[in-house]
């Protein structure tokens, strides 16, 4: 029965399209390649009814690797709860990719560059995200986040209390204004950075200055549990090999956040006709990291696009709603 209904709908569309295109003033009928074998029928219908001829331009569908664009298959993915809905950032819908961090000018540029090509291509996502980055990079304020898992508390020798300074939100775009940076006697670093330090090594604390690593404390598994740092603000930041992000532990400076990244929904570059959708779905596609972010993120509006330095670009999906809430940031891919 479903097949009969589908055929009737198809016949109705084949009958209506050449008539409506002609009488409604369509100048060129743009049709994807799968309709090419019906072009003769389209033209015959207009000839038989004495209607104005409408030229046809066939073009290929826009296909991406590891991506389903079939509305029928996407409906199954939504209905079976594999995603949150049609605006899920993993979905290849306009609402989905915009929620993930694509800006409209980048989307428009990418589509126009493709043109009405007749070549069937399976596009990589890298070029798409690179186009988007070109638009968001100059306008995205810079912020800091530190993963809470195994974060290392560091003591800054010689400091007695917190100091707040104003720093540019973007080193190359002063129009974005300034942000608060808190200096304090204890700061947090990420475990991976702390593990890379050598005794007495000079490092750079980004947005602050240089410091010497004077003491390293490890546990039985080799993880760093504490650091003693000595500031060397006269040091040359260009001469250090390691430039790390950090956050002062002052209670009003740490905002708990969730950083969310996503994988492809599909495990194969291209689904073949014989493939069962359920067998090609990626088992786990959402990855959530708990972190602390600097105090400035509490004032960001929903939808804001920022860069967490040394991590990447993110879009704020759930804004800060007061103490106890956790802003949620979606990672914006910068490559395939």
């Amino acid at each position: 029965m479903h097949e009969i209904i589908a055929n009737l709908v198809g016949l109705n569309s084949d009958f209506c399209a050449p008539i409506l295109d002609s009488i409604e003033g369509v100048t060129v009928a743009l049709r994807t390649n799968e309709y090419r074998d019906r072009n003769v029928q389209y033209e015959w219908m207009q000839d038989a009814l004495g209607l104005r001829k409408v030229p046809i331009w066939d073009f290929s569908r826009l296909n991406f690797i590891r991506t389903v664009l079939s509305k029928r298959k996407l409906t199954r993915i939504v209905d079976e709860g594999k995603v949150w809905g049609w605006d899920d950032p993993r979905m290849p819908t306009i609402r989905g990719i915009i929620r993930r961090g694509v800006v409209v000018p980048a989307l428009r540029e990418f589509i126009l560059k493709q043109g009405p090509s007749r070549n069937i291509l399976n596009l990589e996502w890298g070029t798409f995200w690179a186009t988007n980055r070109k638009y968001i990079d100059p306008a995205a304020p810079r912020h800091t986040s530190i993963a809470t898992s195994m974060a290392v508390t560091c003591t800054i020798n010689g400091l007695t209390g917190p100091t707040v300074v104003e720093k540019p939100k973007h080193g190359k775009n002063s129009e974005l204004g300034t942000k608060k940076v808190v200096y304090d006697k204890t700061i947090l670093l990420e475990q991976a950075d702390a593990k890379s330090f050598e005794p007495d090594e000079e490092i750079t604390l980004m947005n602050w200055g240089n410091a010497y690593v004077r003491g390293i404390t490890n546990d039985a598994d080799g993880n760093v549990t504490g650091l003693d740092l000595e500031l060397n603000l006269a040091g040359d930041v260009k001469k250090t090999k390691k430039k790390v992000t950090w956050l002062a532990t002052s209670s009003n400076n740490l905002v708990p956040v969730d950083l969310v990244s996503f994988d492809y929904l599909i495990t194969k570059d291209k689904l073949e006709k014989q493939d069962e959708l359920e067998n090609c779905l990626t088992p786990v596609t959402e990855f959530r990291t708990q972190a602390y972010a600097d105090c400035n993120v509490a004032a960001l509006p929903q939808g804001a696009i920022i860069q967490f330095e040394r991590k990447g670009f993110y879009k704020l999906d759930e804004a800060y709603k007061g103490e106890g809430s956790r802003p949620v940031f979606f990672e914006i891919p910068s490559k395939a």
Side-chain angles (χ1 to χ4, degrees), residues 32-332:
T32 51
N33 284 336
E34 65 262 32
Y35 294 102
R36 182 175 293 171
D37 60 350
R38 303 182 192 176
N39 286 353
V40 174
Q41 176 181 284
Y42 181 98
E43 295 167 352
W44 180 90
M45 193 72 69
Q46 290 175 348
D47 285 336
L49 297 175
L51 296 173
R52 177 183 63 89
K53 297 293 290 293
V54 179
I56 297 172
W57 180 272
D58 298 312
F59 64 96
S60 65
R61 293 181 57 150
L62 192 63
N63 298 314
F64 285 93
I65 64 164
R66 298 183 65 180
T67 303
V68 172
L69 293 174
S70 162
K71 291 188 288 294
R72 179 174 55 83
K73 289 185 173 69
L74 290 175
T75 298
R76 285 168 57 188
I77 290 174
V78 172
D79 290 345
E80 294 172 10
K82 304 297 184 183
V83 294
W84 307 325
W86 287 93
D87 65 343
D88 188 292
R90 290 162 288 191
M91 289 285 281
T93 59
I94 297 297
R95 287 190 298 162
I97 61 175
I98 287 179
R99 187 178 178 188
R100 193 166 184 178
V102 172
V103 293
V104 172
L107 177 59
R108 181 181 295 113
E109 177 183 327
F110 180 81
I111 295 299
L112 290 176
K113 280 185 175 179
Q114 305 313 306
S117 171
R118 286 176 166 145
N119 297 323
I120 299 176
L121 300 173
N122 218 23
L123 299 175
E124 301 279 349
W125 280 100
T127 303
F128 181 82
W129 292 117
T131 302
N132 190 59
R133 178 172 180 148
K134 182 177 70 174
Y135 284 89
I136 64 176
D137 187 12
R142 273 42 175 172
H143 290 276
T144 302
S145 69
I146 300 293
T148 58
S149 176
M150 301 184 71
V152 179
T153 301
C154 310
T155 300
I156 307 295
N157 297 328
L159 286 187
T160 57
T163 304
V164 180
V165 298
E166 294 288 329
K167 292 281 187 175
K169 290 182 177 179
H170 193 305
K172 298 180 180 179
N173 187 355
S174 59
E175 293 182 1
L176 293 178
T178 61
K179 63 182 178 182
K180 294 179 181 179
V181 176
V182 181
Y183 301 148
D184 206 349
K185 60 183 178 181
T186 56
I187 63 174
L188 293 179
L189 269 69
E190 293 195 338
Q191 181 70 214
D193 288 330
K195 274 188 173 182
S196 72
F197 297 160
E198 300 290 339
D200 297 322
E201 180 180 11
E202 187 175 13
I203 63 171
T204 296
L205 301 172
M206 295 174 63
N207 275 324
W208 196 345
N210 286 4
Y212 291 108
V213 180
R214 295 307 190 193
I216 304 175
T217 305
N218 300 92
D219 62 16
D221 296 321
N223 296 311
V224 179
T225 57
L227 290 169
D228 288 322
L229 303 179
E230 178 188 336
L231 287 177
N232 178 31
L233 299 183
D236 189 349
V237 299
K238 295 181 180 179
K239 293 183 178 180
T240 58
K241 294 181 179 179
K242 298 168 186 174
K243 297 170 175 58
V244 299
T245 50
W246 56 275
L247 283 174
T249 59
S250 305
S251 59
N252 59 352
N253 184 51
L254 300 178
V255 178
V257 300
D258 285 347
L259 308 180
V260 187
S261 61
F262 301 99
D263 196 0
Y264 294 106
L265 289 173
I266 306 299
T267 58
K268 298 183 64 175
D269 279 358
K270 181 183 178 183
L271 285 184
E272 305 296 342
K273 289 184 178 180
Q274 67 272 17
D275 289 329
E276 289 291 336
L277 177 63
E278 286 72 17
N279 296 334
C280 300
L281 291 175
T282 307
V284 180
T285 57
E286 177 190 345
F287 305 91
R288 192 171 292 249
T289 300
Q290 293 191 339
Y292 288 122
D294 63 77
C295 60
N296 303 277
V297 305
L300 293 174
Q302 183 176 353
I305 292 177
I306 66 168
Q307 183 189 68
F308 282 125
E309 293 184 297
R310 298 180 65 229
K311 281 186 170 61
F313 293 95
Y314 288 81
K315 184 169 183 177
L316 179 57
D317 192 67
E318 296 180 25
Y320 182 70
K321 298 181 177 67
E323 190 171 351
S325 70
R326 298 183 68 92
V328 177
F329 290 88
F330 290 163
E331 183 181 18
I332 304 172

